[in-house]
Amino acid sequence: MANNGQTDTAELVAMLSKCTTVNVRLALVPHDQQWQLHHGQVTLDDDTPVTERTWRYSTAAFLELPLPGPTAAALLRGDDQDVHGLQVVSPSPPFSSASTSRLRGQEEWGRVTTPWPRTEWTISRDTNTPQPGRHLLVGDGPSFLNFDQALSAFLYQRPYESTADRSDLWRIVLPQRAGWLEQISIGPDLLTAVVAGEDLDGAELALSWAAGNQPQPVNGPGTYRFPLPHGLAHDSLLMLHRADQWLDWRHFPAPTYGRARDASVIWEQPGLELDILLANGEGKYLECKQEVPEGDSRKKMLKTIAAFASRDGGTVLIGVRDDLQIVGLPEKPTADKQELQVVGMIRDSVEPAPPYESRVIDYDGKKVLAIEVSGGGQMYAYRDSQRPEFYVRVGPNTVPARHPEIAAGFRQTPAAT
């Protein structure tokens, strides 16, 4: 199966119809004495017991419960259904096909990360569909400032964010548990991979790089080791596959630097990770600073952080010169105080608060501050005085965003409260 593509909606309806039970989350809004589906999520082949939830308000309802597969299929098809005592009006999908993405284990997409790979199908909502109001929600459930925050809390357990994606009518998730990479440890001369899975017959694990390939058969779940006599080569690819079909994989460095950190990868010597990160040089996903910047250089760094968050993410390294020489942070003030200084800059100058992690990496006695920014799925602004400015990353440069880019970014997510 390709990583990305399109699937006919009728195929998804048929797939759901064959399921005995599926786990469903529904967000509903009032419509002519009934409830209209605003957003639906379906998880297939999930034997994890679902904790049923019902949040009821005068202007919204949120349900999480198991449903018969044919009932979920009927909703997807656009047929009205009785769900948990509520008459649900289901809009017909505006498109005949769904966007299809096959994701590796630990890959964050749409605010969801799973240890195992998964396939996700998304069907966009008709752009002419009226949007929920921005009223306070008080009722049989937690209270929220508006529908967006309630949706974010219900789907992603993020109650204080009003950035839940409102563009999808349906999201269907199929876990792929045949085999996955549970944990990977990378040392100076050894890579160790822990493989898990429910169907590993005939599988192979291979470490590949530009000048070579180390394959070994997988004899069920367990630990597999690859010697690294010359260290981990740049752009190495660890692939778990069966014949020409991949089950799971990891790429070093990661395809985009600023994604949420991969919890399955352990760098036994953090300096090794820094070497891999610097191998490609400064570019679309990496910016280097010799020290915590001041004046115009500070503004440039904050604009870059806003640009990273507005698109695919990226990393700012402080303690590294433009020529990629690692000089480390100055000894005074302490690295912790310099980290707090940068965190304060971001808090005061980038709106809304961007998704990022900060950490200090030790490298041969030198300390480097890494600011790892995830793509936030919306536009983030650098605020100079009272005027918001929007930027994007083009190659190694941070440039002002054009009006169509700004408009497209705001169409993906609601405005902040």
Side-chain angles (χ1 to χ4, degrees):
M1 181 186 295
N3 291 353
N4 298 285
Q6 298 289 319
T7 301
D8 193 293
T9 304
E11 293 184 29
L12 298 178
V13 171
M15 181 172 61
L16 292 181
S17 298
K18 296 176 182 177
C19 297
T20 303
T21 305
V22 295
N23 293 339
V24 176
R25 292 177 179 176
L26 303 176
L28 311 172
V29 294
H31 178 77
D32 294 338
Q33 307 303 314
Q34 297 175 312
W35 292 91
Q36 179 169 302
L37 177 72
H38 173 79
H39 177 79
Q41 288 193 3
V42 180
T43 303
L44 305 169
D45 191 27
D46 190 354
D47 51 11
T48 303
V50 62
T51 301
E52 295 192 26
R53 293 185 293 163
T54 303
W55 296 354
R56 286 284 300 272
Y57 310 93
S58 60
T59 58
F62 302 88
L63 307 177
E64 180 172 12
L65 73 167
L67 279 183
T71 301
L75 287 170
L76 178 59
R77 190 168 51 238
D79 298 341
D80 300 348
Q81 296 288 303
D82 183 277
V83 180
H84 206 60
L86 301 180
Q87 190 63 29
V88 178
V89 179
S90 181
S92 298
F95 306 104
S96 61
S97 63
S99 296
T100 307
S101 297
R102 189 177 177 201
L103 306 160
R104 64 170 176 81
Q106 294 293 343
E107 184 169 359
E108 191 278 336
W109 189 76
R111 296 173 177 265
V112 174
T113 303
T114 56
W116 43 77
R118 65 193 190 276
T119 301
E120 295 210 7
W121 296 272
T122 54
I123 300 174
S124 297
R125 182 180 298 105
D126 188 332
T127 56
N128 295 320
T129 302
Q131 296 296 328
R134 304 188 68 79
H135 311 292
L136 284 166
L137 295 188
V138 182
D140 186 15
S143 298
F144 295 97
L145 291 174
N146 52 51
F147 179 91
D148 301 331
Q149 289 194 350
L151 182 62
S152 179
F154 193 76
L155 298 181
Y156 312 115
Q157 291 75 54
R158 301 184 183 186
Y160 303 112
E161 296 183 16
S162 58
T163 56
D165 190 353
R166 295 171 66 177
S167 65
D168 292 338
L169 176 64
W170 283 101
R171 178 175 181 172
I172 302 170
V173 181
L174 175 62
Q176 305 282 356
R177 299 192 183 92
W180 69 91
L181 299 168
E182 190 169 62
Q183 182 175 295
I184 301 155
S185 300
I186 303 171
D189 56 6
L190 184 69
L191 183 149
T192 304
V194 178
V195 175
E198 299 173 356
D199 180 15
L200 291 165
D201 290 346
E204 182 178 87
L205 186 63
L207 180 65
S208 304
W209 63 100
N213 181 51
Q214 287 190 54
Q216 54 179 292
V218 172
N219 299 312
T223 301
Y224 298 84
R225 296 175 176 83
F226 294 88
L228 304 173
H230 305 292
L232 183 67
H234 168 57
D235 250 7
S236 293
L237 179 66
L238 183 64
M239 178 69 67
L240 177 64
H241 68 102
R242 182 186 291 113
D244 61 351
Q245 295 292 315
W246 66 264
L247 302 177
D248 201 3
W249 56 272
R250 296 293 186 277
H251 179 216
F252 308 101
T256 52
Y257 297 110
R259 300 276 181 164
R261 291 191 58 75
D262 188 336
S264 68
V265 178
I266 299 172
W267 295 84
E268 295 180 357
Q269 290 186 333
L272 295 173
E273 183 182 12
L274 196 58
D275 285 334
I276 292 289
L277 185 61
L278 290 171
N280 278 338
E282 282 192 301
K284 185 177 181 180
Y285 304 109
L286 182 65
E287 179 88 6
C288 297
K289 297 290 182 184
Q290 182 169 336
E291 57 188 4
V292 175
E294 299 290 344
D296 289 341
S297 183
R298 173 184 294 188
K299 291 181 180 179
K300 181 181 177 183
M301 180 189 73
L302 294 168
K303 291 174 182 178
T304 295
I305 289 172
F308 282 157
S310 295
R311 285 287 183 85
D312 300 322
T315 300
V316 176
L317 294 178
I318 302 176
V320 180
R321 295 194 320 218
D322 288 342
D323 61 4
L324 307 184
Q325 293 299 308
I326 299 173
V327 295
L329 297 170
E331 293 185 2
K332 295 184 179 180
T334 64
D336 289 344
K337 288 184 177 179
Q338 293 180 69
E339 182 179 9
L340 288 174
Q341 184 182 358
V342 173
V343 168
M345 295 177 191
I346 298 172
R347 182 183 61 244
D348 294 341
S349 301
V350 182
E351 297 181 350
Y356 76 95
E357 293 183 14
S358 63
R359 62 191 179 112
V360 175
I361 300 173
D362 289 317
Y363 186 93
D364 289 342
K366 301 172 184 175
K367 296 185 182 298
V368 174
L369 175 58
I371 309 296
E372 298 169 317
V373 186
S374 299
Q378 68 174 90
M379 292 302 293
Y380 290 78
Y382 165 73
R383 183 173 288 279
D384 186 6
S385 299
Q386 296 301 314
R387 183 168 61 91
E389 301 173 3
F390 298 95
Y391 294 87
V392 294
R393 194 75 168 169
V394 177
N397 301 311
T398 299
V399 301
R402 296 173 295 183
H403 289 296
E405 293 170 322
I406 298 172
F410 280 105
R411 279 198 298 269
Q412 296 299 316
T413 189
T417 54

